[in-house]
Amino acid sequence: MKTVIYNGKAYIHRGHFEQAILISDGLIEKVGTNEEVLAFAPEECEKIDANGKTILPGINDAHLHLGFIGEFLVLADLSNARSINEVVQCGKRFMQENPEAVKYGLHGIGWNQDYFTDEKRIINRHDLDLISTEIPIVFERVCGHIVSSNTKAIEMAGITDQTPQFDGGVFEIGEDGQPNGIFNENAVYEIIKTIPSWTAEELQQLYIRAIEYAVSVGLTSVQSNDVRDNNYKEIFALLHKLYDEGKMLLRYRHQFSFLKLENFKKFLESEFKNGKYDNKVLALGPLKLFKDGSLGARTGLMRHEYLDDPGNNGVASLSDEQMDELCGLAVENGIQVVTHVIGDAAIDQTITNYERSMKNGKNLLRHGVVHCQITDLPILERIAMLDILAMVQPIFLNYDLHVVESRVGKKLASTSYAFHTLDKLNAHVAYGTDAPVESCNPFPNIYSAVVRKDLAGFPEGGFYPEECVDVEQAIDHYTIGSAYAEFQEDVKGRIQPGYYADLIILERDIFTIPVDEIKDIKVVMTMMGGKVVYQK
Ligand SMILES: [Zn+2]
């Protein structure tokens, strides 16, 4: 079956557009003017009139969490709470409105103390006990690196003032000498466990909702971190089922995480070897490690103490030795490594770990740094020189531009989120959103890279505007750049003969509208492998 899309403005590469695309068996066969392509297309083929609209390669999000996007749609949403009292009210309301969902516990997500107008402090068990003392409550901070819980959850987790601290994570002790309900980094898993997990059927529904949302905003590929430690059998089974049932509307590449080396080893012996993958829709990807925490939670690992929290340098979730061991094992098995790094110390140390794992100083496995936020020029130069992938989320500026200077000072802030410098240094860059930390909608993300303002348009001239990139560059990082991150740049990320027919048609022309309006662009059609998977 062949399809022609004609009468469009298809982005081929910088400065080059074409009107029409011929698609055959899920691949792009020909691009050119309407006359050229229509003359070439068989009479009976399906014809789609693009009505002059702009066509882009499908967006490829280089790092997100697809399952959590689904969960976000059903957990108590705390992202609009502007005070501790509002968090409490939000929790109470959710319990009243969803009595079935909270039978065994209340799981909320999205609060951010920097947005609180009463006290800008982390919520604790005393706050959450106001919602309920009967069921466990865990409320994740927007970044997921801090979780607050009520007294019931702490009891269920069996944590007391006598419990030893966890490896790479902390539960706080309050003034009364008892755990105060605040958990960070690796300790968060211990408390989240008190809430029963989804049934396989519920989980599948969450993925379906997430996938449908993702294609509706223009994603045709995701590089997703859903495997965490020992849930790989469950996640693999689920994704294969969706695929077999034709519900995998986008291409999915795993980023798999392990907290324990033994679990990574077990995985290498089982699912990693045996999972059935055709590489076109479902693919195995890199080992995803977590080196540090988040800027918002002040757990990103810094070379200097936080200016607004003297004595605190952040948290190293993995030691240097652990990093070397994990990277070594990955490389031995030919596996790429990508690592969550926020602070300058985390980035610098991780690059050193990578460097030690490379053969002949070449980054052949395309190891990457995910987030890569707090940088100075020497770090950026090291990234470029060693050809380490920078997998960045420009949309993080929406929140971070309000706090980064107070956390690390103006000087370091001015060389952080340095998107243009990365381009000048010719680094390999891939864009993503880390959804659901931010929405997986790519247009606010492109807007952030291009104008460097928050979603309300602040600051007027942009935040360190010399680091703005242009629209073409942002789109390239989000398509061919992300494809490079998964060794797919020969088949994904361009509208070109031989490439997958993964493309989107936009309601408005991203190349000519005022840049401040890019964030509001809607998708009218999404096509994956020549099939229309979303239509407005
Ligand atoms: Zn993430």
Side-chain angles (χ1 to χ4, degrees):
M1 181 61 186
K2 299 202 184 205
T3 305
V4 175
I5 303 176
Y6 66 103
N7 209 9
K9 179 185 175 187
Y11 174 66
I12 309 301
H13 55 75
R14 183 182 292 275
H16 183 182
F17 295 91
E18 294 286 0
Q19 289 175 307
I21 304 161
L22 175 64
I23 294 156
S24 175
D25 290 331
L27 296 177
I28 294 168
E29 188 177 337
K30 190 176 172 63
V31 295
T33 62
N34 287 336
E35 295 75 47
E36 282 167 344
V37 173
L38 286 167
F40 195 80
E43 196 45 48
E44 70 285 0
C45 80
E46 184 194 4
K47 295 191 179 67
I48 297 173
D49 183 349
N51 289 312
K53 293 191 189 306
T54 301
I55 307 172
L56 298 182
I59 302 295
N60 181 342
D61 194 304
H63 174 69
L64 52 64
H65 307 265
L66 194 63
F68 291 151
I69 295 175
E71 286 190 31
F72 238 68
L73 299 169
V74 293
L75 298 184
D77 176 6
L78 307 169
S79 60
N80 293 319
R82 290 296 174 265
S83 65
I84 292 169
N85 181 43
E86 280 182 33
V87 172
V88 171
Q89 297 311 323
C90 236
K92 284 186 176 167
R93 206 178 320 121
F94 190 86
M95 280 184 67
Q96 272 162 14
E97 289 168 4
N98 304 277
E100 275 305 303
V102 298
K103 249 189 188 157
Y104 303 105
L106 169 58
H107 192 169
I109 195 157
W111 61 269
N112 183 345
Q113 81 281 5
D114 287 306
Y115 291 149
F116 294 166
T117 49
D118 46 357
E119 294 173 89
K120 292 190 194 305
R121 66 167 170 81
I122 311 276
I123 44 187
N124 60 39
R125 73 181 166 103
H126 305 294
D127 303 314
L128 299 185
D129 283 347
L130 297 173
I131 303 172
S132 171
T133 51
E134 304 290 312
I135 55 164
I137 300 176
V138 296
F139 276 5
E140 296 184 44
R141 192 180 179 279
V142 62
C143 62
H145 291 266
I146 294 182
V147 171
S148 301
S149 60
N150 67 346
T151 304
K152 178 78 181 174
I154 302 169
E155 282 168 13
M156 284 174 66
I159 291 167
T160 68
D161 54 346
Q162 302 301 313
T163 308
Q165 288 292 346
F166 302 100
D167 223 13
V170 169
F171 62 88
E172 282 185 18
I173 299 292
E175 279 168 13
D176 57 2
Q178 295 302 313
N180 66 5
I182 300 173
F183 293 71
N184 78 26
E185 302 312 324
N186 290 347
V188 305
Y189 304 103
E190 303 299 327
I191 196 70
I192 288 181
K193 277 199 290 210
T194 59
I195 306 282
S197 50
W198 310 102
T199 65
E201 178 55 32
E202 285 168 339
L203 199 61
Q204 181 173 340
Q205 286 310 317
L206 296 180
Y207 271 80
I208 290 173
R209 286 176 70 172
I211 289 167
E212 287 174 350
Y213 177 73
V215 298
S216 79
V217 293
L219 302 189
T220 56
S221 286
V222 294
Q223 301 174 43
S224 184
N225 178 212
D226 296 296
V227 168
R228 285 207 181 196
D229 217 36
N230 48 20
N231 68 345
Y232 51 84
K233 285 198 163 57
E234 183 188 8
I235 298 292
F236 276 47
L238 184 146
L239 292 170
H240 286 145
K241 186 158 181 274
L242 290 177
Y243 177 62
D244 292 341
E245 292 173 359
K247 292 172 183 151
M248 212 59 213
L249 306 179
L250 39 68
R251 301 182 201 272
Y252 181 103
R253 186 177 197 243
H254 280 281
Q255 295 176 341
F256 41 84
S257 295
F258 296 94
L259 297 177
K260 297 197 179 82
L261 192 70
E262 306 94 81
N263 288 336
F264 180 33
K265 285 182 178 161
K266 270 190 228 151
F267 168 75
L268 288 173
E269 289 307 313
S270 59
E271 253 63 12
F272 180 72
K273 263 194 191 153
N274 312 328
K276 59 174 167 94
Y277 282 95
D278 70 355
N279 286 321
K280 288 182 181 150
V281 177
L282 291 178
L284 290 169
L287 174 65
K288 162 81 196 307
L289 301 175
F290 291 83
K291 177 64 186 176
D292 66 346
S294 78
L295 185 73
R298 297 187 187 83
T299 49
L301 188 66
M302 301 293 176
R303 291 187 286 204
H304 302 285
E305 59 187 12
Y306 283 89
L307 280 186
D308 53 0
D309 189 11
N312 173 21
N313 279 51
V315 175
S317 306
L318 288 170
S319 69
D320 225 23
E321 294 71 38
Q322 287 172 312
M323 283 292 294
D324 278 337
E325 203 170 5
L326 286 158
C327 291
L329 188 56
V331 170
E332 235 172 77
N333 287 276
I335 297 171
Q336 180 184 24
V337 184
V338 300
T339 306
H340 167 114
V341 282
I342 304 288
D344 52 3
I347 301 170
D348 210 38
Q349 291 171 22
T350 298
I351 295 173
T352 302
N353 298 121
Y354 286 170
E355 210 177 355
R356 281 201 285 264
S357 80
M358 288 175 193
K359 300 218 166 74
N360 308 321
K362 289 214 163 45
N363 188 16
L364 298 176
L365 288 170
R366 301 185 184 176
H367 296 333
V369 281
V370 182
H371 309 315
C372 186
Q373 288 170 208
I374 307 303
T375 51
D376 60 10
L377 188 60
I379 290 180
L380 296 165
E381 286 172 342
R382 269 188 93 196
I383 289 172
M385 196 185 65
L386 290 165
D387 199 15
I388 288 166
L389 284 173
M391 302 160 87
V392 297
Q393 294 70 28
I395 185 68
F396 279 9
L397 280 171
N398 179 45
Y399 162 67
D400 289 2
L401 68 82
H402 295 277
V403 299
V404 62
E405 289 183 337
S406 62
R407 297 273 199 278
V408 306
K410 275 191 183 343
K411 184 159 182 280
L412 194 50
S414 74
T415 55
S416 297
Y417 312 84
F419 307 129
H420 182 58
T421 300
L422 281 168
D423 290 341
K424 274 194 303 197
L425 293 169
N426 276 319
H428 275 105
V429 178
Y431 281 3
T433 57
D434 201 21
V437 171
E438 293 289 343
S439 162
C440 66
N441 183 342
F443 297 99
N445 199 28
I446 294 173
Y447 157 91
S448 301
V450 171
V451 305
R452 294 177 69 90
K453 298 177 190 176
D454 70 11
L455 295 173
F458 173 88
E460 210 176 309
F463 182 74
Y464 297 104
E466 57 280 6
E467 290 294 346
C468 290
V469 305
D470 66 14
V471 175
E472 287 85 349
Q473 190 79 71
I475 291 170
D476 288 352
H477 289 325
Y478 227 153
T479 52
I480 191 77
S482 304
Y484 180 87
E486 47 171 348
F487 297 86
Q488 296 282 298
E489 70 274 17
D490 293 333
V491 285
K492 257 192 205 180
R494 288 282 188 214
I495 297 175
Q496 222 163 266
Y499 277 63
Y500 294 148
D502 295 357
L503 43 89
I504 56 178
I505 303 181
L506 309 184
E507 197 167 59
R508 301 179 67 201
D509 185 2
I510 192 167
F511 298 102
T512 57
I513 65 171
V515 285
D516 285 322
E517 293 169 26
I518 289 174
K519 64 183 187 334
D520 305 314
I521 289 178
K522 301 268 183 295
V523 169
V524 293
M525 192 196 88
T526 304
M527 178 180 268
M528 193 276 275
K531 282 196 203 73
V532 175
V533 291
Y534 169 76
Q535 199 150 25
K536 204 181 169 188

